[in-house]
């Protein structure tokens, strides 16, 4: 039953992404026409494939790959604290829809103060990945959140190694990082935290800083909402409605603005209740998710 | 990564600058086991009072009370306290009553508190202040940095309450920031960073923006206090283990209580289905991070959280064993 819902949600997501891709493609020649012609020709030769205007840039291509739910990160195993949050709240206090809508806001706000600054910094300085990984490890207190971060970060590294590496320029920064995960000395061993790996990988794929932040946020929003669908808080149609909603995009925009103003050393928890609820995930009698 | 890395207080004491709010505590062990305070400096608005443990104690320690005039910090007050605890010395830092943080009077007048602690080998620090109490419209930022040498032990409590609840102030502060950072003294590596950032949400009246933002008060789900207890070092190992065990024995959420002795079973407290629980109105969690054990406690009643922490520290034995029961002043 859950699988059907998943497939449905996935199908819808793909359709949505495809339509976005089409509109983006449609806009491309239009935009360039407005610019002066001679400029337009050089512009196009840099940014699009040689075959013509119909194909997309490699950056957009990787954006779509990274936003795909089929990316094998195991994100479906994590609810980012949603499961424990709902268990801690009386069922009568709000409708399931209100519950998930509130949680989504709190979760994104928290993410913008704790995790997103690390994604952006890793994108800006891939060479500092090891230090960032260490600082993120020191700053992430909640055991459950740590587990989720390391698991997805390592999975993304594996995806890069096995799937993307052959199509992307070689990255010494990522190689050093990967080697540090296997360091014999436990003290110097890197953890492979998700935001750091994500930032570095997006940098290699040529995705811009803003788009990297947006992509990471979208991935988080999708993961939370898909957990909500599987927890039967909302149906797959409402999930898509929330994903498409202007309000959700505003939340994401706000989060990006906030995160851009926070240096990694100034990151911290802005919604302390979430840490508590998520930390108590371990105490759930029965649980579907890993976080 | 742009800022300069912070530096630990120097081992050789230098008198702090005679500036408002600057202070220094230097604790030294006189063999075999007598802790003394060769240096104790402070300037208004900071005040320090020291009390030595009773001489009969075989393993003596020093207690210092950190006081503020009028029991609080007003707009633009800045406190800078440096502490050095030398090899094997023991220091206990307490307050007398909650630290009230008053309303900000004009823009840019932030109230700040900075604590820099150097813990040498085998040194033990107990930091058990009363909670911070940010009043409505207050702007406060605190940073507590600890540099650990091998085997340095610490138990640090950092907590904040909702404000003057009696006057209807519940998380009405303008902004509040508290960070605890622990560094390795030799390498300067950051070992732990625990930070909480609270900010009031600007009211969006008359804004074209139709997004309704949740107020800070509402975000807190009715919780009145957030406490973090940081435990580190061999000296406090029993406490750390006790906290971990206690958490693992917490009743499962949403499960049925099949135990025969379910005398406290049933009911819901503050929305949490509770089957068996000794302390009601308390929400807590334990995590083990890079050699630290952190206990996060929150609740719907301050007295319950106080009682919970008190029980934890007494049952965990180490703190009372090292510093006696008098150190639990803030938890009475």
């Amino acid at each position: 039953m859950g699988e059907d819902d998943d497939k449905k949600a996935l199908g819808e997501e793909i359709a949505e992404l495809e339509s976005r891709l089409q509109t983006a493609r449609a806009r491309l020649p239009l935009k360039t026409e407005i610019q002066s012609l001679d400029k337009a020709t050089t512009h196009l030769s840099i940014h699009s494939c040689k075959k013509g205007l119909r194909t997309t840039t490699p950056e957009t291509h990787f954006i779509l790959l990274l936003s795909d739910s089929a990316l094998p990160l195991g994100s479906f195993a994590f609810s980012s604290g949603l499961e424990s949050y709902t268990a801690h709240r009386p069922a009568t206090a709000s409708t399931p829809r209100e519950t998930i809508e509130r949680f989504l806001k709190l979760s994104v706000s928290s993410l913008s103060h704790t995790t997103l600054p690390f994604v952006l910094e890793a994108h800006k300085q891939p060479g500092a990945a090891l230090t960032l990984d260490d600082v993120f490890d020191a700053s992430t207190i909640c055991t459950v959140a740590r587990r989720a971060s390391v698991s997805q970060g390592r999975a993304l590294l594996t995806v890069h190694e096995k799937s993307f590496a052959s199509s992307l320029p070689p990255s010494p920064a990522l190689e050093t990082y990967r080697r540090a995960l296997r360091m014999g000395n436990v003290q110097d061993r890197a953890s492979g935290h998700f935001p750091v790996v994500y930032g570095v990988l997006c940098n290699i794929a040529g995705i811009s800083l803003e788009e990297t932040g947006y992509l990471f946020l979208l991935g988080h929003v999708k993961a939370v909402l898909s957990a909500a669908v599987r927890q039967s808080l909302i149906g797959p149609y409402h999930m898509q409605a929330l994903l498409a909603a202007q309000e959700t995009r505003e939340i994401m925009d706000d989060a990006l603005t906030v995160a851009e103003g926070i240096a990694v050393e100034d990151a911290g928890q802005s919604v302390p209740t979430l840490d508590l609820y998520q930390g108590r995930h371990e105490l759930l009698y029965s649980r579907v998710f890993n976080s | 990564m742009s800022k300069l890395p912070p530096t630990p207080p120097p081992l050789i004491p230098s008198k702090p600058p005679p500036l408002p709010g600057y202070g220094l505590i230097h604790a030294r062990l006189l063999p075999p086991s007598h802790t003394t305070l060769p240096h104790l400096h402070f300037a208004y608005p900071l005040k320090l009072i020291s009390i030595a443990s009773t001489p009969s104690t075989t393993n003596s320690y020093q207690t210092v009370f950190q006081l503020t005039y009028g029991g609080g910090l007003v707009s633009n007050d800045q406190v800078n306290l440096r502490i050095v605890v030398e090899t094997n010395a023991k220091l206990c830092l307490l307050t007398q009553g909650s630290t009230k943080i008053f309303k900000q009077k004009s823009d840019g007048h932030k109230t700040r508190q900075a604590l820099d602690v150097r813990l040498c080998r085998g040194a033990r620090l107990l930091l058990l202040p009363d909670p911070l109490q940010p009043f409505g419209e207050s702007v406060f930022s605190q940073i507590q940095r600890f540099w650990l040498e091998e085997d340095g032990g610490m138990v640090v409590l950092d907590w904040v309450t909702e404000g003057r609840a009696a006057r209807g102030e519940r998380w009405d502060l303008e902004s509040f920031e508290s960070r605890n950072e622990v560094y390795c003294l030799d390498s300067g590596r950051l070992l732990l960073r625990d930070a909480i950032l609270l900010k009031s949400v600007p009211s969006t009246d008359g804004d074209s923006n139709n997004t309704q933002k949740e107020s800070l008060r509402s975000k807190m789900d009715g919780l009145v206090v957030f406490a973090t207890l940081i435990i580190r070092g061999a000296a406090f190992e029993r406490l750390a283990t006790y906290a971990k065990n206690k958490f693992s024995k917490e009743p499962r959420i949403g499960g049925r209580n099949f135990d025969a002795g379910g005398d406290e079973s049933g009911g819901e407290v503050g929305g949490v289905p509770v089957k068996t629980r000794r302390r009601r109105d308390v929400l807590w969690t334990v995590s083990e991070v890079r050699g630290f054990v952190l206990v996060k406690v929150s609740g719907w009643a301050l007295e319950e959280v106080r009682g919970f922490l008190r029980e934890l520290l007494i049952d965990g034995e180490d703190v009372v064993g090292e510093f006696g029961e008098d150190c639990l002043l803030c938890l009475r």
Side-chain angles (χ1 to χ4, degrees):
Chain A
M1 181 186 79
E3 228 178 63
D4 276 352
D5 282 358
D6 264 3
K7 272 188 188 158
K8 223 189 219 172
L10 235 139
E12 276 160 8
E13 198 175 323
I14 292 168
E16 193 231 8
L17 288 170
E18 272 173 353
S19 77
R20 269 178 43 201
L21 174 61
Q22 261 177 4
T23 48
R25 275 179 184 157
R27 282 213 316 266
L28 187 64
L30 266 178
K31 258 198 165 172
T32 45
E33 265 169 29
I34 297 165
Q35 291 171 350
S36 70
L37 269 171
D38 48 330
K39 252 190 186 172
T41 43
T42 52
H43 180 81
L44 286 174
S45 64
I46 295 168
H47 285 287
S48 64
C49 290
K50 286 163 204 154
K51 284 171 194 160
L53 298 178
R54 285 281 147 195
T55 37
T56 178
T57 62
E59 296 89 84
T60 314
H61 188 66
F62 271 98
I63 288 177
L64 291 172
L65 292 184
L66 284 171
S67 67
D68 189 351
S69 305
L71 197 67
L73 299 185
S75 303
F76 55 81
F78 306 98
S79 79
S80 309
L82 174 67
E83 190 177 21
S84 184
Y85 172 83
T86 45
H88 277 88
R89 293 180 64 78
T92 49
S94 57
T95 65
R97 275 191 189 194
E98 285 163 1
T99 304
I100 177 62
E101 283 169 20
R102 177 176 191 247
F103 180 81
L104 186 66
K105 281 183 205 161
L106 292 180
S107 180
V108 169
S109 158
S110 168
L111 192 83
S112 68
H113 288 83
T114 51
T115 312
L116 202 48
F118 284 87
V119 178
L120 301 179
E121 188 67 25
H123 183 281
K124 282 187 236 167
Q125 297 198 47
L130 278 179
T131 319
L132 285 169
D133 187 77
D134 192 40
V135 173
F136 189 79
D137 196 61
S139 317
T140 310
I141 303 303
C142 179
T143 317
V144 181
R146 294 168 69 83
R147 198 166 56 206
S149 174
V150 169
S151 157
Q152 294 176 86
R154 288 178 170 240
L156 186 57
L157 270 175
T158 309
V159 171
H160 172 261
E161 187 179 15
K162 297 199 170 161
S163 318
F164 294 166
S166 49
S167 318
L168 287 174
S171 163
L174 203 65
E175 279 319 306
T176 317
Y177 190 13
R178 197 200 311 283
R179 269 201 306 279
L181 291 179
R182 293 165 192 152
M183 203 86 88
N185 180 0
V186 184
Q187 276 235 311
D188 301 325
R189 193 182 295 162
S191 308
H193 280 290
F194 192 41
V196 184
V197 180
Y198 206 95
V200 176
L201 180 58
C202 286
N203 176 299
I204 301 168
I207 300 168
S208 75
L209 184 68
E210 284 73 23
E211 280 170 325
T212 300
Y214 170 79
L215 203 52
F216 187 79
L217 273 167
L218 184 66
H220 180 76
V221 171
K222 285 200 305 192
V224 168
L225 291 179
S226 106
V229 171
R230 271 168 298 148
Q231 246 186 268
S232 305
L233 289 173
I234 50 171
Y237 290 113
H238 192 60
M239 169 181 174
Q240 292 305 319
L242 279 176
L243 271 176
Q246 170 75 13
E247 200 180 347
T248 306
R249 281 176 32 212
E250 276 169 18
I251 296 169
M252 289 167 60
D253 281 347
D254 284 353
L256 255 182
T257 316
V258 167
E260 274 167 357
I262 298 179
V264 289
E265 51 266 41
D266 297 328
Q269 181 55 266
S270 62
V271 192
T273 50
L274 286 191
D275 263 355
L276 267 177
Y277 295 138
Q278 194 172 20
R280 292 172 62 81
H281 187 269
E282 312 286 71
L283 296 178
L284 297 184
Y285 181 74
S286 58
R287 49 200 142 162
V288 177
F289 297 100
N290 233 328
S291 84
Chain B
M1 314 257 88
S2 48
K3 290 180 195 165
L4 282 172
T7 49
L11 192 55
I12 297 139
S14 56
K15 233 185 140 178
L19 293 170
Y22 273 78
L24 169 74
I25 304 171
H26 200 101
R28 178 175 295 161
L29 185 83
L30 286 187
S33 61
H34 188 60
T35 300
T36 58
L37 292 178
H39 299 275
L40 187 72
H41 304 287
F42 54 88
Y44 176 91
L46 172 70
K47 191 173 179 179
L48 301 171
I49 294 176
S50 70
I51 302 163
S53 57
T54 44
S56 62
T57 327
T58 44
N59 197 359
S60 89
Y61 55 93
Q62 289 280 341
T63 303
V64 175
F65 282 92
Q66 184 187 343
L67 308 177
T68 44
Y69 293 82
L73 296 167
V74 297
S75 178
N76 215 21
D77 268 356
Q78 318 239 329
V79 170
N80 283 285
L81 180 58
R82 272 187 302 168
I83 298 178
V84 177
V85 188
E86 288 188 6
T87 307
N88 293 328
K90 293 204 293 187
L91 179 71
C92 167
L93 191 66
L94 307 176
T95 57
Q96 261 190 338
S98 67
T99 301
K100 297 154 190 71
I101 300 151
F102 292 92
K103 172 181 167 177
Q104 184 181 38
K105 286 200 183 118
S106 54
D107 273 354
H109 280 193
K110 210 178 197 179
T111 307
R112 290 171 201 270
Q113 207 162 209
L115 176 70
D116 288 293
V117 183
R118 182 188 186 117
L119 285 177
C120 301
R121 247 179 309 117
R124 276 143 289 171
L125 172 78
L126 177 65
L127 192 59
L128 275 189
D130 289 88
L132 294 162
Q133 192 185 4
F135 287 2
E137 294 168 61
S138 61
V139 175
F140 178 72
S141 110
Q142 165 174 279
I143 180 150
Q144 307 194 121
R145 283 176 292 228
F146 306 88
W147 278 269
L148 288 186
E149 218 163 35
E150 210 184 313
D151 218 23
M154 58 187 255
V155 171
V156 170
L157 175 65
D158 181 25
W159 48 338
V160 53
T161 69
E162 57 183 350
R164 273 176 297 192
R167 292 183 55 173
E169 273 180 13
R170 295 176 194 279
W171 305 111
D172 286 342
L173 54 101
E174 182 57 39
S175 85
F176 176 91
E177 176 176 359
S178 178
R179 329 184 138 263
N180 292 289
E181 299 180 346
V182 187
Y183 295 89
C184 173
L185 186 67
D186 296 326
S187 63
R189 181 186 181 203
L190 179 73
L191 300 174
L192 183 86
R193 175 180 284 152
D194 178 53
I196 169 170
L197 315 165
L198 306 177
K199 228 179 163 61
S200 73
V201 179
S203 53
T204 47
D205 41 28
D207 209 321
S208 60
N209 194 339
N210 60 2
T211 318
Q212 279 193 342
K213 288 194 178 151
E214 197 176 346
S215 69
L216 180 62
R217 181 191 296 192
S218 161
K219 272 186 202 165
M220 294 305 206
D221 287 345
L223 296 164
V224 300
V225 54
F226 283 93
T228 303
L229 187 72
I230 303 172
I231 306 164
R232 165 92 186 198
F236 302 108
E237 187 136 0
R238 223 171 342 165
L239 173 63
T241 312
Y242 178 77
K244 282 188 285 178
N245 288 344
K246 188 176 162 77
F247 185 66
S248 68
K249 287 195 188 116
E250 272 278 281
R252 302 290 115 168
I253 301 159
R256 293 241 169 81
N257 185 12
F258 295 110
D259 290 342
D263 49 323
E264 282 185 42
S265 62
E268 274 199 351
V269 177
V272 186
V274 176
K275 295 300 172 195
T276 316
R277 182 189 268 178
R278 272 194 293 154
R279 284 265 167 205
R280 290 175 182 268
D281 281 346
V282 170
L283 203 57
W284 70 296
T285 169
V286 169
S287 51
E288 199 170 5
V289 181
R290 319 223 287 179
F292 294 82
V293 168
L294 279 95
V295 184
K296 294 210 172 248
V297 194
S298 184
W300 291 273
L302 179 58
E303 284 320 304
E304 289 294 306
V305 172
R306 229 186 260 277
F308 175 89
L309 286 167
R310 185 181 166 77
E311 277 170 15
L312 182 72
L313 291 178
I314 290 176
D315 296 342
E317 295 175 11
D318 288 329
V319 167
V320 176
E322 294 274 353
F323 294 97
E325 261 196 59
D326 286 346
C327 69
L328 301 179
L329 202 65
C330 74
L331 301 174
R332 281 205 185 126

